[in-house]
Amino acid sequence: MHPGLRLVAAYAWRLLVVGALVYAAFKVLGRFELVAVAVFLGLVVTALLRPLADLLERLVPRPLAVAVALIGSIVVVLGLLALVGSVAAAEAGRLLGEFRGGVGRISRWLEQPPFRIKHGTLQGLHERISTFVATHRGTLISRALSGANRVVEALTGAALALFCSVFFIYGGDRMWLWFHAQLPETARSPWDRAARAAWSTFAGYTRGIIIVAASNATLVGIALFLLRVPLALPLTVLVFFATFIPLIGAPIALAVATVVALAGRGPVIAAAVLVLIVVIGQIEGHVLHPLVMSWAVQLHPVVVAISVIGGSLVAGVIGAIVAVPMVSVVWSVVRTLRTGD
C-alpha cells in the first residue's frame, strides 16, 4: 500500500471518530438544551462579575461581595429594561400615528422611479396580509400562547443560570481543584493547562464582546437621537444585544432601525441610518474587534463567519451566539497543549 494512502486512511478514521464524538456530544446537549444554556449563561455571568466580586472582597466578606455584585447587576439590568419599556409605552401613541403616515409615504415612494410599483399591487398586498391575519387568527393566537411555555422555560433557565453563577463566583476555583484532584496524576498537568487556557479565552471573549456591544450601542444611540428616529432607546438596546451575534447581529438590528426610520421619519433619514450601518460595521470590523478581541480570541474572520453560520444551522440563535466562544476555546486549548505553554 502506498504510504500516502496509508497516511490518509489513518487520518480519515481518526477524523470519523472525532466527528462521531462531536455529533454525540451535540445530541446529548440538544436533549438537555435548557441546562446547557443555563450553565453557559452562568459562566458568562461569572466571567463578568468575578473581577467585581474579587474587588469587593477587599472591603467585605466574600459571601457579601458576591451578593452585592449579583444583586447590583440584576437591579441595573431590570432598571434598564424598565426604562426601555416606559419609553416605548410613552411613544406608542405618537409612533402609531407616525407609522400610519409612514406606510403611506413608503407606498408613494415605491410607486415612483426607480421602483414604479403599481398602487393596486401594494393595495392588494395589504389586503392579502389582512386576510391572512384574519383567516389564521386562531393559529397565530395558539402560537402566541405556546410561546408562553418558552417564557416559562426562559425564566427557569435564568433562575438556574443565576443559581450556578452564585457558586461559580463564590468558589469556582475550589470546584476546579476538587475535579483536578480526581484525575490521574499524569493527566493533571495537561488538564490544568487546558482548563486555564479555556477559561482565560472564554472570559476574555465575554468581556471583549461586552465592550464591543456597548461601544456599538453608544455610537448607534447617539446617531439615532441626533436623527430623531422614533424608539431610539429601544433600538439602541436592540443593537447592544444583537452585537452578541458576531458579524450579522448588529447589521440586522440596524436594518430594523432603518425600517423604523423609513416609516417614522421618511426616506432621507432612513438613508442616513443606512449609511450609519456601513460606518458602524466598518468601525466594528476594523477598529473595535481588532483592538478589543485580539488579545482574547485569535480567529480569522472566515472562521468566525463559518462558526456563526454553522452554529445557527445547528441550534438557531443560541448556536450563533455560542459558536464563536466555543471555537475560540477549542482552538486555545489545542494551541496550549500543542506548544506546551
Side-chain angles (χ1 to χ4, degrees), residues 92-108 263-264:
R94 179 177 61 85
L95 187 62
L96 182 59
E98 290 182 353
F99 263 71
R100 286 175 178 171
V103 170
R105 288 196 298 269
I106 294 174
S107 299
R108 291 190 295 271

Side-chain angles (χ1 to χ4, degrees), residues 176-177 179-196 333 337:
W176 168 247
L177 290 176
F179 175 79
H180 186 258
Q182 313 307 312
L183 299 172
E185 290 189 8
T186 55
R188 290 177 183 176
S189 178
W191 271 82
D192 187 65
R193 286 188 286 113
R196 293 183 185 279
V333 170
L337 294 179

Side-chain angles (χ1 to χ4, degrees), residues 24-41:
F26 272 103
K27 291 293 288 184
V28 172
L29 290 176
R31 297 295 298 269
F32 299 96
E33 179 182 358
L34 180 62
V35 177
V37 172
V39 173
F40 176 81
L41 291 178

Side-chain angles (χ1 to χ4, degrees), residues 284-302:
E284 178 187 355
H286 295 89
V287 179
L288 293 177
H289 266 286
L291 289 177
V292 177
M293 306 296 288
S294 59
W295 52 272
V297 181
Q298 298 180 3
L299 295 178
H300 193 277
V302 173

Side-chain angles (χ1 to χ4, degrees), residues 198-221:
W199 177 249
S200 177
T201 300
F202 181 82
Y205 176 85
T206 302
R207 295 162 190 162
I209 198 67
I210 289 291
I211 295 173
V212 172
S215 303
N216 264 0
T218 301
L219 294 174
V220 171

Side-chain angles (χ1 to χ4, degrees), residues 4-60:
L5 182 59
R6 193 188 301 262
L7 180 64
V8 171
Y11 273 106
W13 75 261
R14 287 177 172 84
L15 288 175
L16 287 174
V17 171
V18 172
L21 290 175
V22 172
Y23 177 78
F26 272 103
K27 291 293 288 184
V28 172
L29 290 176
R31 297 295 298 269
F32 299 96
E33 179 182 358
L34 180 62
V35 177
V37 172
V39 173
F40 176 81
L41 291 178
L43 292 173
V44 170
V45 174
T46 303
L48 295 176
L49 299 184
R50 179 68 183 264
L52 177 60
D54 293 341
L55 182 63
L56 293 174
E57 190 181 9
R58 301 177 182 178
L59 304 175
V60 296

